[in-house]
Amino acid sequence: MQHTDKNYEIQMNSINEKLIKMGSILEEQFNKALKVLSTRDENLANDIIDTDKQINDLNHDISDTVFQIIAMRQPMADDLRFLFCSIKIIRDLERIGDHLVTVAKKGYRINSSIPPEFIEKLEILGNKASVMTHDALNCLFERKLSQADKIAERDDIIDTLHGEFIKDVLSYMKQNDDYIPDSLSLIQISKGLERVGDRITNIMEEVHFLIEGKYSSE
Amino acid sequence: MVNIITTKNVNVHYGDKKAIDNISLNFLKNNVTALIGPSGCGKSTFLRCLNRMNDVIEICKIEGQICMNNIDIYSNEIEVEQLREKIGMVFQKPNPFPKSIYDNVAYGPRIHGFTDNKEELDEIVNTSLNKAGLFNEVKDRLDDLGTSLSGGQQQRLCIARAIAIKPEVILMDEPCSALDPIATSIIEELITELKKSYTIIIVTHSMQQAARVSDKTAFFHLGNLIEEGDTSKIFTKPDNQKTNDYITGRFG
């Protein structure tokens, strides 16, 4: 059911639309960042860095709208939970954007002599993080918790893959002194993708609160 | 926690029209309970059943059971004056008598025969004005007309008048709807203070007011009780979709 006050309805809808936009830009950023890893395309990396500004702007934009609605409308019940949830998850979405910028900045400089299996493993990790982000945002937009438990399990898988990757890169570094800077970049990229998993777990907690009125741990 | 007022299967008809449909709702002692809902939902009608204000409306028929301290308030043994000694009421528009501030407060204790002693009466008036948060503002002009006070002060005078007969329950029917925000804040703070000594049941159209002052909230719609519970829950995660839609401004 829509709000009786059409302007209120428009304001609330605008937040939802901006969240969808933030989500779709992030999805694009994921695709491009993973492509940078395989192509070392500097232009694409710069494109990711530039696009990140849009995510930051949306973060501030949503924040301002939520602030205005709280001040002017004194929202209640599901409106209040949605605004509360939005204000918290935009921070996580903005940070996911930052992690993808790290992937881009480090990614295009990685020496082409680095064994390709490292890049393949990062792509696997990145794809998992990307799908996780997509699913979590779907839970938010559809107000359904169907994927909620699986998200936590998938974060554990990402953590494990990241741990194994670090071990592999460290042993490679020991044997290849010349590639220490590149290896450190690989570790930073993997760490960034692992952090995406953590951010998504936070987001799912907020979506749980939005739908159930309490956190899943309560 | 003890229920001071219990109601069971209450139906109210105005002629052929059913205004309240089978409501059972209890009120905890020393709690503030807010009754909310759109115009015509029955919340004021229900409130007025609790001190038999509807008795004077000829076409009004009340069924079901309403007890205060386990005594049926509609039983033949209960005198309505006796009941209203226990259940005071404050209305939407401040309605002080056209008498002095002092006499407004002393009126109840006098007609209920509490005392004729001047000193005792002074004590009751001062204490009541104090509890209503008005004493300091009017102590030097107790002989002035009650109607000469500002709207907010008049409403507090009405609260003092209600308190003076030492009720256990105070019913408030939109007590702040005619007041400005500052006067409203003073009354709301007073409500929180008064609940230490009294049980308060308040009808309000202001959702924010209900959220601010009450411990429990009951949502009425078309004569039905849709949902009741802790105020903190009703305004954040109500169980019923209708409650959610009403308090978020989707209807009503």
Side-chain angles (χ1 to χ4, degrees):
Chain A
M1 190 183 270
Q2 293 204 338
H3 294 95
T4 309
D5 184 335
K6 290 284 170 283
N7 290 326
Y8 189 19
E9 186 72 16
I10 291 166
Q11 272 184 312
M12 292 296 284
N13 283 341
S14 81
I15 294 177
N16 206 46
E17 282 157 16
K18 283 168 194 165
L19 281 171
I20 291 173
K21 193 167 180 198
M22 233 173 151
S24 77
I25 295 174
L26 273 178
E27 221 162 289
E28 276 295 300
Q29 292 283 81
F30 259 113
N31 291 339
K32 288 189 272 187
L34 296 180
K35 208 168 173 189
V36 167
L37 287 178
S38 56
T39 60
R40 317 288 206 274
D41 182 341
E42 187 178 350
N43 289 335
L44 194 56
N46 286 330
D47 179 30
I48 291 171
I49 295 163
D50 288 342
T51 307
D52 189 54
K53 291 190 188 94
Q54 290 179 37
I55 296 174
N56 296 344
D57 289 345
L58 279 166
N59 177 22
H60 291 140
D61 197 359
I62 292 172
S63 201
D64 285 347
T65 313
V66 170
F67 187 68
Q68 290 293 326
I69 293 176
I70 290 172
M72 310 292 189
R73 308 267 182 192
Q74 293 91 44
M76 297 273 190
D78 62 352
D79 289 339
L80 180 61
R81 297 200 309 279
F82 174 65
L83 295 172
F84 188 72
C85 168
S86 300
I87 203 86
K88 291 178 92 174
I89 68 168
I90 51 172
R91 195 177 155 78
D92 284 311
L93 292 175
E94 189 268 329
R95 294 308 303 270
I96 290 173
D98 293 344
H99 294 311
L100 296 175
V101 166
T102 303
V103 173
K105 278 182 177 170
K106 302 288 172 193
Y108 83 87
R109 291 202 188 99
I110 290 171
N111 195 302
S112 54
S113 308
I114 286 285
E117 59 261 35
F118 284 141
I119 301 300
E120 283 159 21
K121 281 182 180 169
L122 283 178
E123 284 176 329
I124 291 169
L125 203 57
N127 274 319
K128 285 192 184 300
S130 172
V131 174
M132 216 171 138
T133 308
H134 176 88
D135 290 348
L137 291 177
N138 266 359
C139 289
L140 168 67
F141 299 134
E142 289 171 16
R143 305 277 202 281
K144 277 185 190 156
L145 284 172
S146 49
Q147 302 284 329
D149 298 335
K150 288 176 195 157
I151 293 272
E153 284 169 28
R154 285 195 258 170
D155 184 41
D156 290 343
I157 293 171
I158 288 184
D159 289 348
T160 308
L161 289 175
H162 168 66
E164 288 167 359
F165 184 78
I166 298 288
K167 274 186 202 161
D168 292 349
V169 175
L170 284 176
S171 70
Y172 174 77
M173 273 165 81
K174 283 177 190 163
Q175 289 151 24
N176 300 278
D177 297 1
D178 296 345
Y179 293 113
I180 286 178
D182 295 287
S183 301
L184 287 175
S185 290
L186 291 174
I187 289 173
Q188 283 175 296
I189 291 168
S190 179
K191 182 69 191 163
L193 295 172
E194 184 270 330
R195 292 293 292 143
V196 170
D198 296 339
R199 299 274 170 201
I200 295 300
T201 310
N202 291 347
I203 289 173
M204 280 314 300
E205 273 287 294
E206 298 306 329
V207 174
H208 197 282
F209 180 83
L210 166 66
I211 296 166
E212 299 289 327
K214 60 183 180 188
Y215 290 104
S216 54
S217 50
E218 282 177 45
Chain B
M1 291 288 233
V2 184
N3 286 320
I4 189 162
I5 293 181
T6 56
T7 71
K8 205 172 169 193
N9 306 119
V10 175
N11 288 290
V12 179
H13 287 85
Y14 289 119
D16 293 337
K17 189 184 177 300
K18 197 169 200 177
I20 296 286
D21 189 4
N22 200 30
I23 288 183
S24 301
L25 179 62
N26 299 332
F27 298 92
L28 285 169
K29 196 173 177 173
N30 296 113
N31 259 228
V32 179
T33 303
L35 310 183
I36 62 165
S39 296
C41 70
K43 57 190 187 301
S44 286
T45 296
F46 186 76
L47 186 81
R48 292 161 66 88
C49 290
L50 303 180
N51 69 344
R52 294 179 51 177
M53 289 289 284
N54 291 328
D55 285 13
V56 291
I57 303 170
E58 270 184 32
I59 57 162
C60 183
K61 195 177 97 192
I62 299 159
E63 297 162 345
Q65 197 181 48
I66 302 177
C67 293
M68 181 178 178
N69 295 325
N70 299 316
I71 297 165
D72 186 343
I73 66 165
Y74 281 88
S75 81
N76 293 331
E77 289 124 51
I78 298 285
E79 296 284 339
V80 76
E81 292 78 13
Q82 200 186 341
L83 173 73
R84 291 189 193 145
E85 228 181 273
K86 297 287 171 204
I87 308 182
M89 192 159 187
V90 176
F91 298 87
Q92 186 169 0
K93 206 172 153 223
N95 56 354
F97 302 132
K99 291 169 178 286
S100 70
I101 295 168
Y102 185 96
D103 284 341
N104 260 279
V105 184
Y107 183 81
R110 275 190 191 126
I111 62 156
H112 285 289
F114 283 11
T115 182
D116 280 330
N117 181 299
K118 173 81 171 88
E119 275 179 23
E120 282 176 18
L121 211 50
D122 285 355
E123 176 60 25
I124 292 173
V125 170
N126 291 355
T127 310
S128 304
L129 286 169
N130 222 337
K131 280 188 174 173
L134 190 60
F135 184 70
N136 286 337
E137 292 165 54
V138 299
K139 63 184 174 197
D140 300 325
R141 49 177 177 137
L142 291 175
D143 293 332
D144 287 5
L145 279 174
T147 47
S148 69
L149 297 171
S150 72
Q153 288 173 325
Q154 285 188 26
Q155 197 60 307
R156 278 182 282 149
L157 179 62
C158 293
I159 292 173
R161 187 176 64 187
I163 291 170
I165 53 165
K166 299 189 170 62
E168 291 181 47
V169 178
I170 303 173
L171 309 179
M172 296 184 170
D173 195 353
E174 295 188 51
C176 301
S177 62
L179 305 184
D180 69 31
I182 297 294
T184 299
S185 290
I186 293 169
I187 301 274
E188 287 180 0
E189 192 188 350
L190 183 60
I191 290 171
T192 310
E193 190 58 34
L194 289 174
K195 77 169 178 181
K196 291 175 191 160
S197 316
Y198 311 96
T199 302
I200 295 170
I201 305 168
I202 179 171
V203 162
T204 177
H205 267 128
S206 163
M207 241 81 74
Q208 282 71 35
Q209 179 168 71
R212 285 192 296 264
V213 302
S214 69
D215 304 294
K216 301 276 180 186
T217 297
F219 169 56
F220 286 59
H221 183 49
L222 301 174
N224 296 293
L225 174 65
I226 304 297
E227 186 171 355
E228 52 123 349
D230 288 343
T231 297
S232 58
K233 183 170 188 300
I234 296 281
F235 287 103
T236 55
K237 182 72 173 74
D239 288 330
N240 192 290
Q241 188 61 39
K242 260 190 204 155
T243 314
N244 186 86
D245 289 346
Y246 176 68
I247 63 176
T248 55
R250 290 174 167 99
F251 76 86

